[in-house]
Amino acid sequence: MLYLVNLFKHKWIFYALSICISALAAFESGRLLFLIALLLIFSLYKRLANIHLLCIVIVGIGSYSYFSFEVNKLSRPVELPALLTWTYEYNINGVMLRGFMHDDSGDKVYVTYELKNENEKQRFEAQQLAGTSFLVTGEQVSPSIPSHRYGFSMARYLQSKNARGIIEIHQLQYLRQNKNFMQPIYEQRFRLKRHIEKTFPPALSAEAQALLIGYQDNVDEQLNRAYQKLGITHLFAISGLHVALVSFLFFQILFRLTIRREIATILLLILLPLYAILAGGAPSIWRAVSVVEFVLLAQYVRWRIPMDDALSLSFIVFVLLEPGAVFQVGFQLSYLATYSLVYSNRILARYSNFWVQSFYITFVCQILVYPLLLFHFYEISLSSFIANIIFVPLFSFIILPVNLFVLVLTFLPFPVDTTLFFIYEPLRTALTNFILYIQQPIVQMWNPGKPSITWLILLYSSVLFAFYLLDQQARLKKVIFVLVLPALIFHGQPFLNSDLKIAFVNVGQGDCIVIELPRRKSVIVIDAGGLLRFEQEKWKERKTPYEIGRQVVVPYLKGRGIQTIDTFVLSHADADHVEGAEEVLREVIVNEVHVTPGSFGKPVMNDFLQELEKTNTKLMEKMAGHKWQIGETSLEYLWPLDIEYEGNNDSLVLFLKHGAFRALFTGDLEQEGERELIRLYNGKLRNIDLLKAGHHGSRTSSSEEFLAVTNPEFVVFMAGENNRYNHPHTDVVNRFEEKNIPYAITGLDGTVEVSVSQSQMYIEKSNSIFMK
């Protein structure tokens, strides 16, 4: 037995990699199995015994067969009506109840339910739904396509959660509260959540819920973004620190009660999985708990298991239980960061100074995960190296213990917690204000854009080589050079591209156009989408309103690696064109804003103007006749002619010419404005290449006369799917079809991206249809 233990020591990482490859191949393409061959070559280099090479192949093929079976299950339709049971992954926001339920066979589905009235909402909020079974009637719907290639993919999210699909619930009929060993834990977590809400000050309760039970739905969106900018979001994730603290306290209590270590170990083995469920069951907590479990089990049977083997066994068990987890960002970052510390132990052991060691711990973690952060979030925080050195000890040794201590005090019959809150709350509020202050500069974020798979491999190659150099005690300058050079080349890619790029971003019922001139000499953004906000009852309001600018436009800009907008054009003062502009200002540097004369006085512009005051951005009114040249590209405003703002027909109309290519962006111009354009610019507008149809394809625009003159090669209608205005109008679409003019509708086709190269135009839609 001891021989087998030694034989497999430090080898489990190879089996973990084999299983990871198999999971990716099952979800993506069986061709990825060729990576196992590369793993075998690496195993030969590491001089693994033949028995391990054989086992790696067997494990890879066997797990691929298993994962393929699980993936095929996800495509099966859900039979309705069905008996479904809530998991602990659900939330109530505004009028919507969303989350995961599972059927009798344990298969998971994502469900949405629109609450009928305020009483029903209060009833659901007052009870713990996890473990509660309902008879569900409704329909299964397909996940919506992402707004663009950098947008949130519901299909991928469902895949990562091993969910079979989306059910829109029409009726929920309560059946029973299930009785099993999990139910008391669900109930206790719910009670703790409510208890914290009642006993903690409002300014502290959301943080306490996140730190103590892993409930992050109430964390303020602005504060969460501040933590992201500083690179310290992981401090809200329950992980190894919490497990270590709980284990330490548990052992100390049992030792004081004179309980033997062996008995205490058995009790802790039972307690930790229960704590993981109580704490929300995030990948980071299960990773930490399972590693401790393997180590304690090995100690109990007198084996010594290396930390890397325990981590690899944890990885294997996690992926076998939930194959889609390989696509979860939290899962990837949690394991990757932990592996970086485990395998850098020899490097970190060289430094005894606390601050130097803290720097290298932060350096090792940040460097190993930075390509992955770019792949998922398109940017990383440059201040994270310093911020983590300061805030990790602060949260680890002060904030987390204080929250845990105060939670215990809140259960005592004496008002001791009130005194402590009186002291702690102002200090914690001051820290929050300090965090919000230091996160403000946009320049602390490095935003080179999303790397392709090829670039991801290249960046990770440089990272691994840098780790090799660190291990060989190479000079720090050499390590930094190996890391920085590939990163700089990746960052400089857009400045080497000679194509003109125009993207019609799918913002629903609204406009947003991103123009990148060749070699990114200038970036021009026309409008930023937005929503019409209507007054509604208090109970229907979302905790955090859906914002087109923050959730659609900004991710596209960051995905493209655009951190500076040279010219931000707000064509006119309608909510579906400008409401998202303020969120863009918060996240992207804007040099100047162009507006149509008189429009900034409209109420819909107020929030934007307030945000504008916090920046150094120039605000300028523009009208017909203003033109500028950048390289081979000329831009000119053709409209409006006067300074009196009257609505759609005073939209800024931009004409772009690049070599022989010509494009016209009309805002919400209608037939009256179109007639004036024809009268003034008949020759210039004849037979243009690209047209953004006026007013989303309304019947009041795109007149026969206008089409006869412009006769575009390609047209884009910027209109939301199933919008209330029926844009684009059938009559307008018919006009284009009668003239055999090809067109795209962003609400149906997704984001439309146009590339112009040597007078040739290439069009790509989000649904992968290509046109020339």
Side-chain angles (χ1 to χ4, degrees):
M1 184 64 71
L2 185 60
Y3 169 75
L4 287 175
V5 172
N6 290 328
L7 181 65
F8 282 89
K9 188 177 286 187
H10 298 296
K11 307 298 190 299
W12 288 104
I13 179 64
F14 294 93
Y15 298 108
L17 288 172
S18 180
I19 285 175
C20 181
I21 291 168
S22 299
L24 292 172
F27 279 101
E28 296 295 317
S29 169
R31 288 177 293 182
L32 290 175
L33 285 174
F34 86 92
L35 293 173
I36 291 182
L38 298 180
L39 180 60
L40 290 173
I41 294 171
F42 181 67
S43 303
L44 285 170
Y45 168 75
K46 299 297 289 185
R47 298 181 180 179
L48 265 66
N50 290 336
I51 182 66
H52 289 299
L53 301 180
L54 179 61
C55 288
I56 287 171
V57 174
I58 293 173
V59 167
I61 295 175
S63 56
Y64 174 72
S65 300
Y66 164 68
F67 293 144
S68 297
F69 173 75
E70 291 295 313
V71 170
N72 289 333
K73 284 169 57 177
L74 301 182
S75 61
R76 294 187 318 203
V78 180
E79 294 184 6
L80 296 169
L83 175 64
L84 300 178
T85 304
W86 283 102
T87 68
Y88 58 82
E89 295 180 273
Y90 72 88
N91 71 81
I92 299 172
N93 192 359
V95 298
M96 297 304 299
L97 166 61
R98 295 184 174 93
F100 290 97
M101 303 180 80
H102 59 75
D103 59 21
D104 290 336
S105 63
D107 291 338
K108 194 186 293 184
V109 295
Y110 183 80
V111 301
T112 65
Y113 174 66
E114 185 172 350
L115 299 163
K116 303 295 188 294
N117 51 57
E118 186 174 6
N119 289 335
E120 185 179 39
K121 180 178 181 177
Q122 291 173 347
R123 189 168 67 252
F124 278 120
E125 287 179 331
Q127 62 179 309
Q128 169 58 34
L129 292 180
T132 308
S133 296
F134 287 83
L135 180 64
V136 170
T137 59
E139 62 176 326
Q140 185 169 359
V141 297
S142 300
S144 57
I145 63 171
S147 297
H148 46 73
R149 66 178 70 192
Y150 311 109
F152 171 74
S153 172
M154 189 65 187
R156 177 65 82 190
Y157 176 69
L158 296 176
Q159 208 174 52
S160 73
K161 292 290 188 176
N162 289 89
R164 284 171 57 187
I166 304 174
I167 303 297
E168 285 187 355
I169 298 176
H170 298 157
Q171 292 293 332
L172 276 173
Q173 181 182 342
Y174 171 81
L175 290 183
R176 63 175 180 268
Q177 186 81 46
N178 294 323
K179 302 297 181 183
N180 53 50
F181 79 95
M182 299 279 283
Q183 201 57 39
I185 305 173
Y186 293 149
E187 292 292 341
Q188 190 57 45
R189 184 169 191 259
F190 183 74
R191 290 194 192 102
L192 276 174
K193 171 182 170 292
R194 300 296 292 269
H195 177 79
I196 291 171
E197 287 174 351
K198 291 178 182 178
T199 57
F200 277 62
L204 302 177
S205 65
E207 179 180 83
Q209 288 174 341
L211 288 174
L212 299 176
I213 60 173
Y215 185 83
Q216 299 191 23
D217 288 3
N218 291 331
V219 177
D220 179 70
E221 183 64 38
Q222 184 183 5
L223 183 60
N224 191 49
R225 179 56 182 154
Y227 278 75
Q228 288 176 357
K229 287 184 176 180
L230 296 176
I232 55 175
T233 312
H234 59 90
L235 296 177
F236 275 147
I238 297 180
S239 58
L241 172 65
H242 300 72
V243 173
L245 187 58
V246 168
S247 301
F248 174 77
L249 293 174
F250 183 76
F251 268 120
Q252 291 301 314
I253 292 170
L254 292 185
F255 291 159
R256 297 291 184 275
L257 297 174
T258 68
I259 294 175
R260 293 170 53 202
R261 176 177 290 274
E262 290 79 3
I263 302 299
T265 300
I266 293 174
L267 292 174
L268 187 62
L269 285 170
I270 298 171
L271 170 70
L272 285 180
L274 301 180
Y275 171 67
I277 299 170
L278 182 68
S284 58
I285 182 68
W286 277 118
R287 184 260 306 157
V289 164
S290 56
V291 167
V292 174
E293 292 272 308
F294 284 124
V295 172
L296 290 177
L297 280 170
Q299 290 177 351
Y300 189 77
V301 296
R302 303 290 194 274
W303 289 349
R304 188 174 180 278
I305 183 171
M307 187 58 68
D308 59 335
D309 281 354
L311 186 61
S312 298
L313 284 168
S314 164
F315 180 93
I316 291 169
V317 171
F318 202 126
V319 176
L320 288 175
L321 290 175
E322 192 169 337
V326 293
F327 296 109
Q328 294 178 22
V329 181
F331 174 87
Q332 295 170 3
L333 294 176
S334 177
Y335 276 94
L336 197 57
T338 309
Y339 272 119
S340 72
L341 293 176
V342 170
Y343 287 112
S344 302
N345 187 53
R346 195 165 70 173
I347 300 171
L348 300 175
R350 297 175 192 154
Y351 309 99
S352 56
N353 182 279
F354 172 79
W355 295 108
V356 174
Q357 194 173 63
S358 296
F359 171 78
Y360 272 97
I361 288 173
T362 302
F363 179 80
V364 164
C365 286
Q366 294 292 320
I367 291 304
L368 193 62
V369 302
Y370 100 82
L372 196 61
L373 289 173
L374 290 182
F375 186 77
H376 289 297
F377 305 111
Y378 328 130
E379 62 181 355
I380 60 172
S381 170
L382 297 176
S383 59
S384 63
F385 295 97
I386 298 174
N388 274 277
I389 292 173
I390 297 171
F391 288 103
V392 168
L394 182 62
F395 271 76
S396 302
F397 304 121
I398 298 177
I399 293 177
L400 175 59
V402 166
N403 275 275
L404 189 59
F405 180 61
V406 175
L407 178 64
V408 174
L409 292 181
T410 58
F411 287 100
L412 299 178
F414 319 107
V416 184
D417 58 310
T418 306
T419 304
L420 191 55
F421 280 135
F422 180 77
I423 300 171
Y424 177 65
E425 184 180 7
L427 296 174
R428 186 64 189 88
T429 302
L431 178 62
T432 296
N433 292 334
F434 175 70
I435 289 172
L436 291 173
Y437 175 76
I438 63 175
Q439 63 85 35
Q440 290 181 28
I442 297 174
V443 292
Q444 67 183 295
M445 303 301 292
W446 178 46
N447 173 219
K450 182 176 182 177
S452 64
I453 295 297
T454 301
W455 265 108
L456 192 65
I457 293 171
L458 291 173
L459 292 175
Y460 263 117
S461 298
S462 74
V463 168
L464 295 176
F465 186 49
F467 271 86
Y468 170 78
L469 293 175
L470 279 173
D471 190 51
Q472 298 299 310
Q473 300 189 39
R475 297 181 65 181
L476 192 58
K477 288 182 180 179
K478 192 173 183 180
V479 175
I480 292 174
F481 177 79
V482 167
L483 286 171
V484 170
L485 182 62
L488 288 177
I489 295 172
F490 171 62
H491 181 87
Q493 282 184 104
F495 303 96
L496 302 175
N497 194 309
S498 60
D499 290 353
L500 167 69
K501 295 184 178 295
I502 303 170
F504 299 85
V505 183
N506 178 19
V507 291
Q509 183 63 21
D511 277 19
C512 178
I513 303 164
V514 179
I515 304 171
E516 300 173 60
L517 298 194
R519 295 182 174 81
R520 201 167 279 179
K521 292 180 179 178
S522 183
V523 174
I524 300 147
V525 175
I526 305 174
D527 296 327
L531 296 173
L532 294 170
R533 307 285 181 183
F534 300 101
E535 290 293 328
Q536 56 183 351
E537 298 173 70
K538 186 72 176 177
W539 72 273
K540 293 183 177 181
E541 294 178 0
R542 294 167 54 98
K543 295 174 185 175
T544 303
Y546 180 75
E547 297 175 325
I548 294 291
R550 176 172 58 87
Q551 293 170 264
V552 179
V553 180
V554 168
Y556 184 84
L557 295 173
K558 290 186 179 293
R560 294 290 304 162
I562 297 171
Q563 198 165 6
T564 300
I565 297 173
D566 296 282
T567 307
F568 195 3
V569 181
L570 300 181
S571 64
H572 65 296
D574 275 0
D576 56 341
H577 292 252
V578 303
E579 198 257 352
E582 62 188 272
E583 294 112 53
V584 174
L585 278 180
R586 295 192 192 111
E587 295 289 339
V588 181
I589 298 170
V590 178
N591 290 333
E592 59 184 43
V593 177
H594 294 180
V595 297
T596 190
S599 62
F600 62 82
K602 297 297 179 181
V604 73
M605 299 287 282
N606 289 345
D607 290 340
F608 170 76
L609 293 174
Q610 288 176 11
E611 195 64 37
L612 192 70
E613 289 178 359
K614 304 174 186 177
T615 70
N616 295 320
T617 304
K618 301 174 184 176
L619 176 65
M620 294 178 281
E621 292 183 315
K622 298 293 180 181
M623 54 193 298
H626 177 78
K627 59 179 72 174
W628 69 105
Q629 181 90 20
I630 303 172
E632 298 177 5
T633 309
S634 63
L635 301 108
E636 179 184 359
Y637 288 121
L638 306 184
W639 195 260
L641 291 176
D642 57 49
I643 61 172
E644 183 180 356
Y645 180 75
E646 296 177 336
N648 289 345
N649 268 325
D650 284 316
S651 295
L652 276 172
V653 175
L654 181 65
F655 178 76
L656 180 150
K657 188 174 184 298
H658 176 74
F661 174 83
R662 293 174 301 149
L664 185 66
F665 308 96
T666 58
D668 273 1
L669 198 70
E670 298 182 333
Q671 290 182 13
E672 180 184 344
E674 290 175 349
R675 283 195 294 269
E676 288 299 304
L677 286 183
I678 294 170
R679 182 179 65 83
L680 294 168
Y681 311 102
N682 193 294
K684 180 177 290 189
L685 297 181
R686 284 198 173 275
N687 303 317
I688 62 173
D689 298 282
L690 179 65
L691 171 67
K692 200 291 291 187
H695 199 193
H696 320 289
S698 164
R699 67 187 306 174
T700 60
S701 63
S702 301
S703 63
E704 290 276 4
E705 183 184 5
F706 188 68
L707 291 188
V709 172
T710 57
N711 189 30
E713 282 194 26
F714 190 77
V715 175
V716 178
F717 295 104
M718 304 204 73
E721 184 178 10
N722 299 320
N723 62 84
R724 68 173 68 188
Y725 310 102
N726 295 318
H727 292 160
H729 196 274
T730 306
D731 292 345
V732 174
V733 172
N734 289 339
R735 283 177 207 156
F736 286 95
E737 290 181 344
E738 288 170 3
K739 295 179 178 294
N740 295 317
I741 298 174
Y743 63 87
I745 304 171
T746 52
L748 299 178
D749 298 308
T751 293
V752 179
E753 296 179 307
V754 179
S755 294
V756 180
S757 175
Q758 296 179 349
S759 300
Q760 291 186 327
M761 181 171 61
Y762 298 89
I763 297 102
E764 180 180 349
K765 305 176 186 177
S766 290
N767 59 10
S768 298
I769 294 176
F770 293 83
M771 300 182 63
K772 182 176 178 180

